[in-house]
Amino acid sequence: MRTIRSEEVEQAVYRLAEEACLGIIPSCMQAIGEAADREEAGSAAQFALETVLLNARTAKAERMPVCQDTGYAVILAEIGQDVHIEGALLADAVNSGVRRAYEDFRFRKSVCDPLTRVNTADNTPAALHTEIVAGDRLRLTFLPKGFGSENMSRLYMLTPSQGVQGVIDSIVETVRLAGSRPCPPVVCGVGIGGTFDTCAFLAKKALTRELGTHNPRADVAAIESEALERINALHIGPQGFGGKVTALGVLCEVAPTHIAGLPVAVNIQCHCMRAARTEL
Amino acid sequence: MKTLTLPLTDEAIEALHAGESVLLSGTILTGRDCAHKRICEMLDRGEELPFPLKGQTIYYAGPCPAPEGKACGSCGPTTSARMDAYAPRLLDLGLRGMIGKGERSAAVCEAIVQNGAVYFAAIGGAGALYGNAVQKSELVAFPDLLSEAVYRFTVKDFPCIVAIDCHGGNIYKR
């Protein structure tokens, strides 16, 4: 049994929020750079991507949030089952780290009551997902999730007869219906299988993967590649201005499902892919 | 790149065509979901708005708080489609320009043509660049809405693409 103080968790979340909101992850920067090279010289699409790259460099140099939507704070905590957290409740420690970071680093507070729309004024609560894993470490991943892209996400309850084709069609349809709205080129986090709720979580978890990686299962990796190709054939293009690159990547995660179902969740991420992780 | 001074004149709007790049300088008002809802509720009640809309340009944005030494924090555009429910009414009342990101509804496109207005696309995700283009920021209305309040920005060389022009040209129509 290893003891971790809740104050360590709070401080880790605080630092992760800062790191995540100030920049686009390197694998995504690289993908945007490659996309800019692929677009027609002088096109609005290329202008959009070059502006995005310049913005990321400016944000880094001036320590400004890369996007003003510093997001709903999504935190994945993978807790070794030999860890004991001492002090405050885990959720309270996480929320306290978020609250302090969004105030100190002057990030936008974007969380409100769903009905009255009154802002909670400190960007809490965070969306905290916990998983119990082997070992005595605590791994934390921070995803500031913007809602321009979150709004364009979808969940399909397909039937088994729709199969792999149905899965790919659902991914492509989600991006087509989103059109110019989610800040394309997008990244699709896709959950395949599980239940209604775990499928959506898988889609979110897929977005913690690096761009350019493939699911280790060959059949799943093939879905990622075919879906990406079909999405880019839509020619929505950067910012919806038309062009060759509508998505930078499709990341799929799978889990066993019920014999009667085939859930597919597509979580859309804008080109501004942000994440930070640490291990305590 | 074409440079434009805000507020926009009729001649300037008429000369704009979808797809061209422009640099905007002058004053704009910010407004997003909650501010639009409140503006329309005030209009429903027959109340006078705390700021004149006529001739103005609205930027669909909610900024990060300003860091020390700057007028504004990161402040890129938000998705315009969420304001489609309100935009035709504001255009009919004299709003001339909108800045945001992404396509608009058929009703908004029609209202742009009918009212001789224009819709500019700012580059989504370029928050730091747009924040730095704001030289002055004044709170105009609804301070309780925090980042969703209405601010008057004085901007310089604010880069946009003409997305929907008053002649019906539309960069999103393929």
Side-chain angles (χ1 to χ4, degrees), chain A residues 74-98:
Chain A
V74 178
I75 289 135
L76 270 63
E78 291 160 281
I79 308 166
Q81 68 174 357
D82 297 323
V83 169
H84 171 235
I85 297 163
E86 202 175 72
L89 285 175
L90 176 65
D92 291 346
V94 165
N95 283 329
S96 171
V98 168

Side-chain angles (χ1 to χ4, degrees), chain B residues 8-37:
Chain B
L8 296 161
T9 62
D10 291 347
E11 297 73 33
I13 291 174
E14 264 174 45
L16 294 173
H17 295 280
E20 65 181 327
S21 308
V22 291
L23 290 172
L24 308 178
S25 295
T27 58
I28 54 180
L29 295 169
T30 68
R32 47 174 293 157
D33 309 65
C34 272
H36 275 77
K37 184 163 190 276

Side-chain angles (χ1 to χ4, degrees), chain A residues 241-252:
Chain A
F241 295 158
K244 298 186 181 85
V245 188
T246 300
L248 300 169
V250 175
L251 305 166
C252 297

Side-chain angles (χ1 to χ4, degrees), chain A:
Chain A
M1 180 73 80
R2 189 167 150 260
T3 299
I4 298 176
R5 291 285 311 168
S6 62
E7 292 84 351
E8 288 177 66
V9 176
E10 193 213 309
Q11 188 59 19
V13 168
Y14 179 81
R15 285 294 160 207
L16 289 176
E18 179 190 26
E19 187 191 334
C21 290
L22 297 184
I24 296 176
I25 60 169
S27 63
C28 187
M29 280 295 280
Q30 192 187 329
I32 298 168
E34 288 165 8
D37 291 340
R38 281 175 64 192
E39 295 296 351
E40 198 183 315
S43 62
Q46 194 185 56
F47 169 76
L49 293 172
E50 281 171 352
T51 303
V52 163
L53 290 170
L54 173 64
N55 177 70
R57 290 193 290 270
T58 304
K60 193 174 178 185
E62 301 186 22
R63 300 193 66 71
M64 289 171 79
V66 66
C67 176
Q68 75 291 337
D69 187 351
T70 43
Y72 202 114
V74 178
I75 289 135
L76 270 63
E78 291 160 281
I79 308 166
Q81 68 174 357
D82 297 323
V83 169
H84 171 235
I85 297 163
E86 202 175 72
L89 285 175
L90 176 65
D92 291 346
V94 165
N95 283 329
S96 171
V98 168
R99 182 179 299 117
R100 211 154 52 81
Y102 277 67
E103 186 58 38
D104 287 2
F105 304 121
R106 306 186 76 71
F107 295 159
R108 196 178 78 186
K109 288 87 175 174
S110 312
V111 177
C112 69
D113 182 276
L115 301 176
T116 66
R117 311 307 296 182
V118 173
N119 200 300
T120 64
D122 63 4
N123 219 58
T124 68
L128 173 63
H129 300 283
T130 55
E131 281 192 302
I132 305 298
V133 298
D136 64 357
R137 314 287 288 182
L138 170 59
R139 198 162 37 245
L140 293 167
T141 305
F142 193 109
L143 283 180
K145 191 63 178 75
F147 252 59
S149 54
E150 193 78 351
N151 276 337
M152 297 296 126
S153 304
R154 282 173 180 266
L155 196 142
Y156 296 83
M157 298 305 282
L158 303 182
T159 58
S161 67
Q162 290 174 277
V164 167
Q165 205 50 53
V167 172
I168 297 170
D169 288 348
S170 302
I171 302 168
V172 177
E173 181 182 75
T174 300
V175 177
R176 182 177 60 76
L177 293 173
S180 57
R181 290 177 283 257
C183 271
V186 297
V187 177
C188 299
V190 183
I192 305 168
T195 54
F196 185 82
D197 51 331
T198 61
C199 185
F201 174 64
L202 275 182
K204 183 72 81 206
K205 203 176 172 189
L207 291 175
T208 65
R209 273 172 45 195
E210 291 292 331
L211 271 184
T213 60
H214 276 290
N215 189 290
R217 259 177 69 169
D219 56 340
V220 181
I223 292 175
E224 294 175 337
S225 300
E226 192 184 331
L228 181 61
E229 202 173 303
R230 281 185 49 197
I231 288 167
N232 285 332
L234 294 172
H235 296 295
I236 292 166
Q239 298 289 321
F241 295 158
K244 298 186 181 85
V245 188
T246 300
L248 300 169
V250 175
L251 305 166
C252 297
E253 291 296 314
V254 287
T257 190
H258 190 277
I259 51 173
L262 175 49
V264 178
V266 187
N267 196 187
I268 300 284
Q269 165 68 54
C270 63
H271 60 70
C272 185
M273 207 177 176
R274 297 164 291 180
R277 53 177 60 85
T278 193
E279 197 173 81
L280 299 176

